[in-house]
Amino acid sequence: MAQNIKQLQHAPIGVFDSGVGGLTVAREIMRQMPNEKIVYFGDTARLPYGSKSKDTITRYSRQIVRFLETQDVKAIVVACNTASAYALDSLEKEIQMPIIGVVKPGAKVAAEVTQNGKIGVIGTEGTIGSQIYTEYIHNINPDARVIGKACPLFCPLVEEGLWQDPVTDEIASRYLTELIDIGIDTLILGCTHYPLIRSTVGRIMGDKVTLVNPAYETAIELKRLLAEHDLLNPQAPALGDNKYKFYVSDGADKFKTFANSIIKYGILSAKTINIEEY
């Protein structure tokens, strides 16, 4: 049994997303847990997830989990707000290993830090429509007022690299004015793309609004969960060991270029697989 635990401690963490947004979660895991290995899958052939149905998202997520299981991962992070909202409950019942999404950790922090009880959530149409953040926040703070705002143009702007651009400023101002007028004091960046435009969102919202980054909160929660199951890797992988592996369902070269602009640990390659086989 001790040998089995030791093997599991050295196993990688599986992280998946609809595309590149989940790299912000992977980056936080790398920062918080430098000893851990990661297998990342981005479903670039089938994005965006935000506009698809619950059944479709759940089917996609099951396929990805089956792929990650072939990589002998010890835990799975659903690094996609839409998949966390639609598929996580089903996945939790179907697999034995620890699995977490990005919604609960962000909702928990927002519910705890708000002073006036007005919490904004920005995300994809799927995430906002699911009301998942509202549900989790009300479990902790029933009196909170949660205002969701779908911001569908943020993802393509981020993926085009327009993080600091007048176009992004203009779109952000249009999206966020309603939340400013309502007087929220806490804003959840409810899509894993959004931390990349955090400075723009923060500037528009102003100093009195606390921004909650679920990518960071998820990495902290994952560390706690792994420690609870005695699964933290006690030592760094050996020199030359392939610490981080990246897989996509399409466009490996484009993914690699984008990933290297986010993660400064050197992404040597990204491999394309046929996720429909799983």
Side-chain angles (χ1 to χ4, degrees), residues 114-131:
T114 183
Q115 297 294 307
N116 69 4
K118 295 177 182 177
I119 301 169
V121 183
I122 53 176
T124 65
E125 291 169 5
T127 299
I128 301 304
S130 74
Q131 296 282 305

Side-chain angles (χ1 to χ4, degrees), residues 216-231:
Y216 172 79
E217 305 303 340
T218 299
I220 298 298
E221 177 63 17
L222 175 65
K223 189 174 184 178
R224 186 200 63 75
L225 187 66
L226 292 178
E228 183 184 301
H229 287 83
D230 198 20
L231 289 175

Side-chain angles (χ1 to χ4, degrees), residues 125-178:
E125 291 169 5
T127 299
I128 301 304
S130 74
Q131 296 282 305
I132 192 77
Y133 273 103
T134 304
E135 182 185 323
Y136 286 151
I137 289 167
H138 282 164
N139 286 341
I140 302 165
N141 184 348
D143 297 325
R145 181 184 173 196
V146 184
I147 305 97
K149 178 69 179 176
C151 302
L153 290 176
F154 277 170
C155 286
L157 287 168
V158 166
E159 292 192 11
E160 287 299 322
L162 301 174
W163 305 349
Q164 305 278 348
D165 191 275
V167 174
T168 306
D169 288 358
E170 173 63 24
I171 296 297
S173 293
R174 291 191 186 197
Y175 281 151
L176 300 173
T177 297
E178 176 188 338

Side-chain angles (χ1 to χ4, degrees), residues 3-78:
Q3 180 65 24
N4 191 33
I5 285 287
K6 193 171 182 182
Q7 285 177 329
L8 281 172
Q9 286 174 342
H10 292 279
I13 296 161
V15 180
F16 79 86
D17 181 48
S18 59
V20 298
L23 290 167
T24 60
V25 180
R27 179 175 65 179
E28 292 296 343
I29 295 170
M30 292 170 186
R31 286 173 177 168
Q32 303 300 327
M33 291 172 278
N35 285 355
E36 299 297 340
K37 293 187 281 190
I38 293 172
V39 176
Y40 182 97
F41 177 79
D43 199 2
T44 45
R46 304 187 294 196
L47 59 75
Y49 277 15
S51 56
K52 292 182 171 66
S53 71
K54 179 173 182 173
D55 287 348
T56 297
I57 298 301
T58 302
R59 178 168 63 84
Y60 288 177
S61 298
R62 285 188 177 121
Q63 289 176 327
I64 296 165
V65 165
R66 285 195 284 269
F67 164 69
L68 290 173
E69 287 175 330
T70 69
Q71 301 297 302
D72 297 323
V73 299
K74 63 184 176 184
I76 292 177
V77 179
V78 185

Side-chain angles (χ1 to χ4, degrees), residues 248-262:
V248 293
S249 48
D250 193 28
D253 288 342
K254 184 178 180 183
F255 173 88
K256 181 184 169 186
T257 300
F258 189 89
N260 276 310
S261 69
I262 298 174

